Amino acid sequence: MIKQLILLFFVFFLVAALVIAAIWTQLIPEYRAEAEIRVRPIVPYLVFRTEDSGMIPLYESFVNTQVSIMRGSTVLQRVLDQREVRDTQWYNEPPKSLIQRLQGKPPVPPVERLRNFLSIQPRSKSEIIDVIFTDSNAKDARIIVDTVLDQYFKYISEKSNAAKDHLYRQLIDQYKSLDNEIKGQEMISAQLRRSLGTGTPQQLISSKRVRLDETQARLSELHQSIAVLEWKRKKLEDLMKQEITPERNDVPVDSIVQMEKKPKYHEDSEWRALDINVRTIQHNLAASEFDPNNPEIIRATKDMGFAKELLRLRETQLDEQWRDRPKNVPEVPITITSDSGPDYEEDLRTLEFQLAQVKYEEQLLVEEFKKQQAEFQMLFENAQLLERENNSLQHKRDLFKAVRQRLDQKNMERIVPGPIEVLTRAFAPSEPYNDRRILYTAIVLILDGLGIILSACLLHRNGFL
């Protein structure tokens, strides 16, 4: 009976020893390396507010994206490519489970093992992301976590710098392009200003416009003068056709009173010329479209007053000449011929000369007017071109100023740290994490004791003890 009990104790002790040996040999203690990353919801700025600074939109999505980047194949493969990771025991001696040993399966690939044992968890209600790696070697776990942090920050820095560098290069190219365009347009504007002879073409255009209007007004006056002179010529020609030209006969005058009849003013050629001048000026003033305060109208009014004064002076002279004629006229018959009538031929020759003179003046003035028109048109076109160039130049200068300001902001804000920073690098305690060997050993011993007690009870009930 004692032998059976000893044998029972021996069997359970042997089984417990084997199980405990398996626990202490197969269950390897694991060490847990932890690091902390802080993701700020607000990106700070140094001087200028840019699109990169301020509150991060969709902050939770941004944090989850960072988790996915760290667990992504790009970052993990970069981690495995580092020499310090390749020198670790975790990389060179991958552990195999009992089933893998029995089945002869190859070890799990490093990337898959790294993803399985690497834990990245955003801490609830905080700005912290926990990066955790568990391995049987505390040093290897710490190296792997630090390498993951380094490669992750290197990766996001490359991506961020690539985007920033692309935008920065575009700003530099735009800056140089606008600078060259501004220099080219400044040269064009300078050439146009030199061709115009002034930097304020509007004043020059106004003066040219006034001069052109004056020339046109003078030309209109000449047209009116020509029309009046042609009308007078036609009237003189009609008078010459209507004039009776009988044969030259001497006409006896019985009485001296018939011979002393006062002559008319129009019989004097000088008076007729002065009268034509007065009528011409009156007609020009009546047909003019200018304002009464126009300098040309004022000058023409003064000319008309002077012409009337000359006409009155000539009439006074003719009256004095009539009064001062000789009084002792012999009482002999006096004859008068038809030659004492008005000299229309002389008036017509004078009028033809005046008409030719005015037409020649009109010809010269028409050529001058055409020349002024061409100069004004060229000046107006160059002034418009200069205005367009100045507007375009000002627009490009505004763009250049905005690009330069944007470039200065980028240069200033490039040194500002990003929203992601390492709060705590990898730390692995000296004690293993969650060592369950002692617990399993205690459970085995308890189960072994219970097994012995149950077995002894069964043997006693069956009469073996």
Side-chain angles (χ1 to χ4, degrees):
M1 189 183 300
I2 296 175
K3 291 181 179 179
Q4 293 177 348
L5 186 59
I6 293 173
L7 181 61
L8 181 62
F9 282 143
F10 179 77
V11 171
F12 276 97
F13 177 77
L14 181 60
V15 172
L18 293 175
V19 172
I20 291 172
I23 290 173
W24 285 87
T25 57
Q26 297 299 321
L27 291 179
I28 302 175
E30 295 180 345
Y31 295 87
R32 184 174 183 177
E34 298 182 8
E36 294 178 346
I37 297 176
R38 181 186 179 186
V39 182
R40 290 190 297 268
I42 298 177
V43 181
Y45 65 93
L46 187 62
V47 177
F48 303 102
R49 288 183 179 271
T50 63
E51 74 281 358
D52 297 328
S53 61
M55 184 71 69
I56 297 178
L58 302 175
Y59 173 72
E60 293 184 0
S61 299
F62 179 76
V63 172
N64 293 330
T65 302
Q66 305 312 307
V67 174
S68 300
I69 292 175
M70 276 188 283
R71 292 182 58 85
S73 58
T74 302
V75 174
L76 296 184
Q77 186 60 49
R78 289 187 178 188
V79 171
L80 295 175
D81 291 339
Q82 303 305 310
R83 180 178 298 276
E84 58 269 18
V85 175
R86 289 180 175 271
D87 293 339
T88 60
Q89 181 181 357
W90 173 89
Y91 185 86
N92 294 313
E93 299 177 6
K96 291 185 178 181
S97 63
L98 181 61
I99 298 177
Q100 289 178 336
R101 293 175 183 176
L102 294 176
Q103 294 179 354
K105 293 182 178 181
V108 179
V111 174
E112 185 176 347
R113 288 193 294 118
L114 181 58
R115 183 178 287 111
N116 291 336
F117 288 97
L118 181 64
S119 175
I120 303 173
Q121 300 174 353
R123 192 178 299 177
S124 179
K125 297 181 180 180
S126 69
E127 302 174 1
I128 308 302
I129 297 178
D130 294 317
V131 182
I132 303 170
F133 187 79
T134 305
D135 188 60
S136 59
N137 190 314
K139 181 180 178 181
D140 291 351
R142 187 176 62 254
I143 291 174
I144 291 174
V145 170
D146 285 339
T147 307
V148 168
L149 294 179
D150 294 338
Q151 296 304 314
Y152 161 69
F153 275 95
K154 185 177 180 180
Y155 176 77
I156 62 173
S157 177
E158 290 175 357
K159 289 296 182 181
S160 177
N161 290 337
K164 291 181 180 179
D165 291 343
H166 179 68
L167 180 59
Y168 188 78
R169 286 193 299 270
Q170 286 184 331
L171 285 173
I172 291 294
D173 295 340
Q174 193 68 24
Y175 180 89
K176 294 180 179 178
S177 176
L178 287 173
D179 187 39
N180 293 331
E181 291 179 5
I182 288 173
K183 291 179 180 177
Q185 286 194 332
E186 285 178 345
M187 294 179 61
I188 295 174
S189 298
Q191 293 177 357
L192 289 174
R193 284 194 296 271
R194 283 195 296 269
S195 64
L196 292 173
T198 178
T200 56
Q202 296 301 327
Q203 297 180 358
L204 183 59
I205 290 176
S206 299
S207 62
K208 291 286 186 180
R209 180 76 257 182
V210 171
R211 184 182 176 189
L212 188 62
D213 292 340
E214 291 177 351
T215 304
Q216 189 175 10
R218 178 59 181 161
L219 191 59
S220 299
E221 292 178 0
L222 289 178
H223 290 161
Q224 294 173 2
S225 299
I226 291 173
V228 171
L229 290 174
E230 289 179 347
W231 176 81
K232 290 181 179 180
R233 182 179 63 180
K234 185 176 182 305
K235 289 297 181 183
L236 283 175
E237 291 175 351
D238 292 341
L239 289 174
M240 291 177 64
K241 290 179 181 179
Q242 295 176 3
E243 184 181 14
I244 301 175
T245 55
E247 294 181 359
R248 182 183 181 89
N249 295 322
D250 295 337
V251 181
V253 180
D254 296 336
S255 174
I256 194 171
V257 178
Q258 295 177 352
M259 296 299 297
E260 292 184 356
K261 185 178 180 180
K262 184 178 179 180
K264 304 294 183 180
Y265 290 139
H266 62 78
E267 295 177 3
D268 182 67
S269 60
E270 184 177 352
W271 183 91
R272 289 196 301 270
L274 293 174
D275 182 64
I276 289 174
N277 188 28
V278 170
R279 293 177 182 274
T280 301
I281 295 175
Q282 286 179 343
H283 178 76
N284 291 336
L285 285 174
S288 177
E289 297 179 355
F290 289 104
D291 187 80
N293 296 324
N294 189 279
E296 295 291 335
I297 300 298
I298 296 175
R299 185 178 61 186
T301 304
K302 292 181 179 178
D303 291 343
M304 186 179 67
F306 181 70
K308 286 183 177 180
E309 184 178 354
L310 291 178
L311 184 62
R312 287 192 298 269
L313 180 61
R314 182 57 183 167
E315 290 175 353
T316 303
Q317 291 174 354
L318 291 175
D319 293 338
E320 291 177 354
Q321 184 179 354
W322 169 255
R323 287 193 303 270
D324 295 340
R325 75 186 185 282
K327 302 296 182 180
N328 298 325
V329 180
E331 295 183 0
V332 295
I334 299 176
T335 60
I336 185 170
T337 64
S338 59
D339 293 339
S340 61
D343 192 356
Y344 292 121
E345 293 182 359
E346 180 66 24
D347 294 342
L348 184 60
R349 284 194 296 270
T350 303
L351 194 62
E352 290 286 353
F353 178 78
Q354 292 179 355
L355 184 60
Q357 182 180 3
V358 173
K359 285 186 176 181
Y360 181 71
E361 185 178 356
E362 178 199 20
Q363 180 181 355
L364 295 178
L365 199 60
V366 166
E367 294 178 358
E368 178 66 20
F369 182 71
K370 291 181 179 179
K371 180 180 177 181
Q372 290 181 8
Q373 274 188 325
E375 292 178 354
F376 179 79
Q377 184 65 26
M378 182 179 298
L379 175 64
F380 185 75
E381 291 177 356
N382 289 337
Q384 282 188 326
L385 181 60
L386 178 60
E387 184 177 2
R388 288 196 297 269
E389 289 294 331
N390 287 337
N391 292 336
S392 178
L393 181 60
Q394 184 61 39
H395 177 66
K396 283 186 170 54
R397 282 174 176 170
D398 293 339
L399 288 178
F400 181 76
K401 181 180 179 181
V403 171
R404 183 175 58 189
Q405 183 178 2
R406 178 70 167 160
L407 195 59
D408 293 339
Q409 292 177 359
K410 283 292 182 182
N411 289 330
M412 183 69 69
E413 298 299 321
R414 283 170 73 91
I415 61 176
V416 177
I420 304 174
E421 63 176 349
V422 177
L423 195 61
T424 304
R425 293 191 68 84
F427 171 76
S430 58
E431 297 294 330
Y433 168 75
N434 197 13
D435 189 0
R436 293 169 292 183
R437 292 179 299 176
I438 298 176
L439 177 62
Y440 289 164
T441 301
I443 294 174
V444 169
L445 292 177
I446 292 172
L447 293 176
D448 185 66
L450 293 175
I452 294 174
I453 294 172
L454 291 174
S455 298
C457 293
L458 290 175
L459 290 175
H460 179 70
R461 179 180 296 181
N462 292 327
F464 294 101
L465 292 179

